[in-house]
Amino acid sequence: MAAQSDFVDAPHRPSRILPPAAGLALAGAALLGAGAVENNRRAREAERATPPVGRFVEVGGTRLHVLERGRGPALVLLHGNGSLIQDWLVSGLVERAAETHRVIAIDRPGFGYSERPRSRVWTPMMQAGLIRGALHSLGVETATVLGHSWGAQVAIALALQDPARVRALFLESGYYFPSPRVDSVLFAPQALPGLGDLLSHTVAPVTSRLLWPRILARLFGPSPVPERFAREFPVEMVLRPSQLRAAAAESVLLVPDAFALRPHYAGLRAPVTILSGTGDRLLSHADQAVALHHHIPGSRLVAVEGAGHMLHQIAPGRVLAALAAA
């Protein structure tokens, strides 16, 4: 006869199984965390590969990265949204303009190596005040100012704030009159506190890398991307989380800033030259450049037939010729 077992079966305790939704949430959080770590690693690597090329000027507690080349009358270069000083360098414009000018290229707040404190809303007027202070620190009493795209709004704001310092104004591929902008809506979540940081550190860099060829096609088209730009432009610098968040904030500000500046265009005292490519796929040549030319008495319009948004990259000779003519 078999011996009776000395053991009593323990009561069965079912193992805890996470609901599918919770499991997916944990997996998603882990994926986002891994993505943030990788994106931050790539950002640090980008900065090691592309160190600062200029010096730093502090204005009101905010540090601006500034590049200076050449001697002569001052020429200030203000890049567009999402870009940095290297845009001007890769185009060859800095090198060629420095033969006759003291060229001052500035990383606008939040781009390149310039700071963008969260305590302020960085409208064109706010940025112009910062740049104005930097020019004062650099001993620049008068300057020709060239602003590209979003930088054109900052150039206009600078000329309105400090008309005695701005000798001449060159506006390249700018956005001057409000119009429906899908990108302003799409980037709104990324510009929000908290959520914007999360998106900028996780999803946005990956998405931007995937979309980079399309972005270039829209910026340069119908012209091809210049070989030097494709070879030398530091793409990973503009895909850093901090810079992507700054770019999103400026996309959201684009339309309201145009509303704010529009009533003041006719009051600009400095001579105004408007540069635009007739084939611009990002902004309408007719609705922006031509309309501004009609809006500002005495302005000069330089239209480059068939060129796209990145005029200083596609036709730097035309931009330099316009500067020389002024």
Side-chain angles (χ1 to χ4, degrees), residues 139-185:
V140 178
E141 296 182 357
T142 61
T144 295
V145 180
L146 167 58
H148 172 243
S149 196
W150 215 97
Q153 288 191 340
V154 181
I156 290 170
L158 182 60
L160 291 170
Q161 276 188 19
D162 200 354
R165 199 182 305 268
V166 179
R167 179 174 56 243
L169 196 58
F170 286 78
L171 307 173
E172 178 199 342
S173 306
Y175 180 81
Y176 316 109
F177 299 100
S179 62
R181 299 288 304 181
V182 175
D183 52 345
S184 295
V185 177

Coordinates of all heavy atoms in Angstrom, one line a residue, residues 139-185:
G139 N 31.0 96.3 -31.3 CA 31.5 97.6 -31.8 C 31.0 98.0 -33.2 O 31.6 98.8 -33.9
V140 N 29.8 97.3 -33.6 CA 29.3 97.6 -34.9 C 28.3 98.7 -34.8 O 27.2 98.6 -34.2 CB 28.6 96.3 -35.4 CG1 27.9 96.6 -36.8 CG2 29.5 95.1 -35.5
E141 N 28.7 99.9 -35.4 CA 27.8 101.0 -35.3 C 26.8 101.1 -36.5 O 25.6 101.5 -36.3 CB 28.6 102.3 -35.4 CG 29.6 102.5 -34.2 CD 30.3 103.8 -34.2 OE1 30.2 104.5 -35.2 OE2 31.1 104.0 -33.2
T142 N 27.2 100.6 -37.7 CA 26.3 100.5 -38.8 C 26.5 99.2 -39.5 O 27.7 98.7 -39.5 CB 26.4 101.6 -39.8 OG1 27.7 101.7 -40.3 CG2 26.1 103.0 -39.1
A143 N 25.5 98.6 -40.1 CA 25.7 97.3 -40.8 C 24.6 97.1 -41.9 O 23.5 97.6 -41.8 CB 25.6 96.2 -39.8
T144 N 25.0 96.4 -42.9 CA 24.1 95.8 -43.8 C 23.6 94.5 -43.2 O 24.4 93.7 -42.8 CB 24.7 95.6 -45.2 OG1 25.1 96.9 -45.8 CG2 23.8 94.9 -46.2
V145 N 22.3 94.3 -43.3 CA 21.7 93.1 -42.6 C 21.0 92.2 -43.7 O 20.2 92.7 -44.4 CB 20.8 93.4 -41.5 CG1 20.2 92.1 -40.9 CG2 21.4 94.3 -40.4
L146 N 21.5 90.9 -43.8 CA 20.8 90.0 -44.7 C 20.2 88.9 -43.9 O 20.8 88.2 -43.2 CB 21.9 89.4 -45.6 CG 21.5 88.2 -46.5 CD1 20.3 88.5 -47.4 CD2 22.7 87.7 -47.3
G147 N 18.9 88.8 -44.0 CA 18.1 87.7 -43.3 C 17.5 86.8 -44.3 O 16.9 87.2 -45.3
H148 N 17.6 85.5 -44.1 CA 17.1 84.5 -44.9 C 15.9 83.8 -44.3 O 15.9 83.4 -43.1 CB 18.1 83.4 -45.3 CG 17.5 82.2 -46.0 ND1 17.5 80.9 -45.5 CD2 17.0 82.1 -47.2 CE1 17.0 80.1 -46.4 NE2 16.6 80.8 -47.4
S149 N 14.8 83.7 -45.0 CA 13.6 83.0 -44.5 C 13.1 83.5 -43.2 O 12.7 84.7 -43.1 CB 13.9 81.5 -44.5 OG 12.7 80.7 -44.4
W150 N 13.0 82.7 -42.1 CA 12.6 83.2 -40.8 C 13.5 84.4 -40.4 O 13.1 85.3 -39.7 CB 12.6 82.1 -39.8 CG 11.5 82.2 -38.8 CD1 10.3 81.5 -38.8 CD2 11.5 82.9 -37.5 NE1 9.6 81.8 -37.6 CE2 10.3 82.7 -36.9 CE3 12.4 83.8 -36.9 CZ2 10.0 83.2 -35.6 CZ3 12.1 84.4 -35.7 CH2 10.9 84.1 -35.1
G151 N 14.8 84.3 -40.8 CA 15.7 85.3 -40.4 C 15.4 86.7 -41.0 O 15.8 87.7 -40.5
A152 N 14.6 86.7 -42.1 CA 14.2 87.9 -42.7 C 13.3 88.7 -41.8 O 13.3 89.9 -41.7 CB 13.5 87.7 -44.1
Q153 N 12.4 88.0 -41.0 CA 11.6 88.7 -40.1 C 12.4 89.3 -39.0 O 12.1 90.4 -38.5 CB 10.6 87.7 -39.4 CG 9.5 87.2 -40.4 CD 8.4 86.4 -39.6 OE1 8.6 85.9 -38.6 NE2 7.2 86.4 -40.2
V154 N 13.5 88.6 -38.5 CA 14.3 89.2 -37.5 C 15.1 90.4 -38.1 O 15.3 91.4 -37.4 CB 15.3 88.1 -37.0 CG1 16.2 88.7 -35.9 CG2 14.6 86.9 -36.5
A155 N 15.5 90.3 -39.3 CA 16.2 91.5 -39.9 C 15.3 92.7 -40.0 O 15.7 93.8 -39.7 CB 16.7 91.1 -41.3
I156 N 14.0 92.5 -40.4 CA 13.0 93.6 -40.4 C 12.9 94.2 -39.0 O 12.9 95.4 -38.8 CB 11.7 93.1 -41.0 CG1 11.8 92.8 -42.4 CG2 10.6 94.1 -40.7 CD1 10.6 92.1 -43.0
A157 N 12.7 93.3 -38.0 CA 12.5 93.7 -36.6 C 13.7 94.5 -36.1 O 13.6 95.6 -35.4 CB 12.3 92.5 -35.7
L158 N 14.9 94.1 -36.5 CA 16.1 94.8 -36.2 C 16.2 96.2 -36.8 O 16.5 97.2 -36.1 CB 17.4 94.0 -36.6 CG 18.7 94.6 -36.2 CD1 18.9 94.8 -34.7 CD2 19.9 93.7 -36.8
A159 N 15.8 96.3 -38.1 CA 15.8 97.6 -38.7 C 14.7 98.5 -38.1 O 14.9 99.8 -38.1 CB 15.5 97.4 -40.2
L160 N 13.6 98.0 -37.6 CA 12.6 98.8 -37.0 C 13.0 99.3 -35.6 O 12.8 100.4 -35.2 CB 11.3 98.0 -36.9 CG 10.5 97.7 -38.2 CD1 9.4 96.7 -37.9 CD2 10.0 99.0 -38.8
Q161 N 13.7 98.4 -34.9 CA 14.2 98.7 -33.5 C 15.3 99.7 -33.5 O 15.4 100.6 -32.7 CB 14.6 97.5 -32.8 CG 13.5 96.7 -32.2 CD 14.1 95.5 -31.3 OE1 15.3 95.6 -30.9 NE2 13.3 94.6 -31.0
D162 N 16.2 99.5 -34.5 CA 17.5 100.3 -34.5 C 17.8 100.8 -35.9 O 18.8 100.4 -36.5 CB 18.6 99.4 -34.0 CG 19.8 100.1 -33.5 OD1 19.8 101.3 -33.6 OD2 20.8 99.5 -33.0
P163 N 17.0 101.8 -36.4 CA 17.2 102.2 -37.8 C 18.5 102.9 -38.0 O 19.0 102.9 -39.1 CB 16.0 103.2 -37.9 CG 15.6 103.6 -36.6 CD 15.8 102.4 -35.7
A164 N 19.1 103.5 -37.0 CA 20.4 104.2 -37.2 C 21.5 103.2 -37.4 O 22.5 103.5 -38.0 CB 20.7 105.0 -36.0
R165 N 21.3 101.9 -36.9 CA 22.4 100.9 -37.0 C 22.3 100.1 -38.3 O 23.3 99.6 -38.8 CB 22.4 99.9 -35.8 CG 23.7 99.2 -35.6 CD 23.6 98.2 -34.5 NE 23.2 98.8 -33.3 CZ 24.0 99.3 -32.3 NH1 25.3 99.2 -32.5 NH2 23.5 99.9 -31.2
V166 N 21.1 100.0 -38.9 CA 20.9 99.2 -40.1 C 21.0 100.1 -41.3 O 20.1 100.8 -41.6 CB 19.5 98.5 -40.0 CG1 19.3 97.6 -41.3 CG2 19.5 97.5 -38.8
R167 N 22.1 100.0 -42.0 CA 22.4 100.8 -43.2 C 21.6 100.4 -44.4 O 21.1 101.2 -45.2 CB 23.9 100.7 -43.5 CG 24.3 101.5 -44.7 CD 25.9 101.5 -44.8 NE 26.4 100.2 -44.9 CZ 27.2 99.7 -44.0 NH1 27.6 100.4 -42.9 NH2 27.7 98.5 -44.1
A168 N 21.4 99.1 -44.6 CA 20.7 98.5 -45.7 C 20.1 97.2 -45.3 O 20.7 96.5 -44.5 CB 21.6 98.4 -46.9
L169 N 19.0 96.8 -45.9 CA 18.3 95.6 -45.5 C 18.1 94.7 -46.7 O 17.6 95.1 -47.7 CB 16.9 96.0 -44.9 CG 16.1 95.0 -44.1 CD1 16.9 94.5 -42.9 CD2 14.8 95.6 -43.6
F170 N 18.6 93.5 -46.6 CA 18.4 92.5 -47.7 C 17.6 91.3 -47.1 O 17.9 90.7 -46.1 CB 19.8 92.0 -48.1 CG 20.5 93.0 -49.0 CD1 21.2 94.0 -48.4 CD2 20.5 92.8 -50.4 CE1 21.8 95.0 -49.1 CE2 21.2 93.8 -51.1 CZ 21.9 94.8 -50.5
L171 N 16.4 91.1 -47.8 CA 15.5 90.1 -47.3 C 15.4 89.0 -48.4 O 14.9 89.2 -49.5 CB 14.1 90.7 -47.1 CG 14.1 92.0 -46.2 CD1 12.7 92.6 -46.2 CD2 14.6 91.6 -44.8
E172 N 15.9 87.8 -48.0 CA 16.0 86.7 -48.9 C 14.9 85.6 -48.6 O 14.9 85.1 -47.4 CB 17.4 86.0 -48.9 CG 17.5 84.8 -49.8 CD 18.7 84.0 -49.4 OE1 19.6 84.5 -48.7 OE2 18.7 82.8 -49.8
S173 N 14.1 85.3 -49.5 CA 13.1 84.2 -49.4 C 12.3 84.3 -48.1 O 12.1 83.3 -47.4 CB 13.8 82.8 -49.4 OG 14.6 82.7 -50.6
G174 N 11.8 85.4 -47.7 CA 11.2 85.7 -46.5 C 9.6 85.4 -46.5 O 9.0 85.4 -47.6
Y175 N 9.1 85.4 -45.3 CA 7.6 85.2 -45.1 C 7.1 86.5 -44.5 O 7.5 86.8 -43.4 CB 7.3 84.0 -44.3 CG 5.9 83.8 -44.0 CD1 5.1 83.1 -44.9 CD2 5.3 84.2 -42.8 CE1 3.7 82.8 -44.6 CE2 3.9 83.9 -42.5 CZ 3.2 83.3 -43.4 OH 1.8 83.0 -43.2
Y176 N 6.4 87.3 -45.3 CA 6.0 88.6 -44.8 C 4.5 88.8 -44.6 O 4.1 89.7 -43.8 CB 6.5 89.6 -45.9 CG 7.9 89.4 -46.4 CD1 8.1 88.9 -47.7 CD2 9.0 89.6 -45.6 CE1 9.4 88.6 -48.2 CE2 10.3 89.3 -46.0 CZ 10.4 88.8 -47.3 OH 11.7 88.6 -47.8
F177 N 3.7 88.1 -45.3 CA 2.2 88.3 -45.2 C 1.6 87.0 -44.7 O 1.9 85.9 -45.3 CB 1.7 88.7 -46.5 CG 2.3 90.0 -47.0 CD1 3.3 90.1 -47.9 CD2 1.8 91.2 -46.5 CE1 3.8 91.3 -48.3 CE2 2.3 92.4 -46.9 CZ 3.4 92.4 -47.8
P178 N 0.7 87.0 -43.7 CA 0.0 85.8 -43.2 C -0.7 85.0 -44.3 O -1.4 85.6 -45.1 CB -0.9 86.4 -42.2 CG -0.4 87.7 -41.8 CD 0.2 88.3 -43.1
S179 N -0.6 83.8 -44.2 CA -1.3 82.8 -45.1 C -1.4 81.5 -44.4 O -0.7 81.3 -43.4 CB -0.5 82.7 -46.4 OG 0.7 82.1 -46.2
P180 N -2.4 80.7 -44.8 CA -2.5 79.4 -44.1 C -1.2 78.6 -44.2 O -0.6 78.4 -45.3 CB -3.7 78.7 -44.9 CG -4.4 79.8 -45.5 CD -3.4 80.9 -45.8
R181 N -0.8 78.0 -43.1 CA 0.4 77.2 -43.0 C 0.2 75.9 -42.3 O -0.1 75.9 -41.1 CB 1.5 78.0 -42.2 CG 1.9 79.3 -42.8 CD 2.7 79.2 -44.1 NE 3.9 78.3 -43.9 CZ 4.8 78.1 -44.9 NH1 4.5 78.5 -46.1 NH2 5.8 77.3 -44.7
V182 N 0.2 74.8 -43.0 CA 0.0 73.5 -42.4 C 1.1 73.2 -41.4 O 0.8 72.6 -40.3 CB 0.0 72.4 -43.5 CG1 -0.2 71.0 -42.9 CG2 -1.2 72.7 -44.4
D183 N 2.3 73.6 -41.7 CA 3.4 73.3 -40.8 C 3.3 73.9 -39.4 O 3.7 73.3 -38.4 CB 4.8 73.7 -41.4 CG 4.8 75.1 -41.9 OD1 3.7 75.7 -42.0 OD2 5.9 75.6 -42.2
S184 N 2.6 75.1 -39.4 CA 2.4 75.7 -38.1 C 1.5 74.9 -37.2 O 1.7 74.8 -36.0 CB 1.8 77.1 -38.3 OG 2.7 78.0 -38.9
V185 N 0.5 74.2 -37.8 CA -0.4 73.3 -37.0 C 0.3 72.0 -36.7 O 0.2 71.6 -35.5 CB -1.6 73.0 -37.9 CG1 -2.6 72.1 -37.1 CG2 -2.4 74.3 -38.2

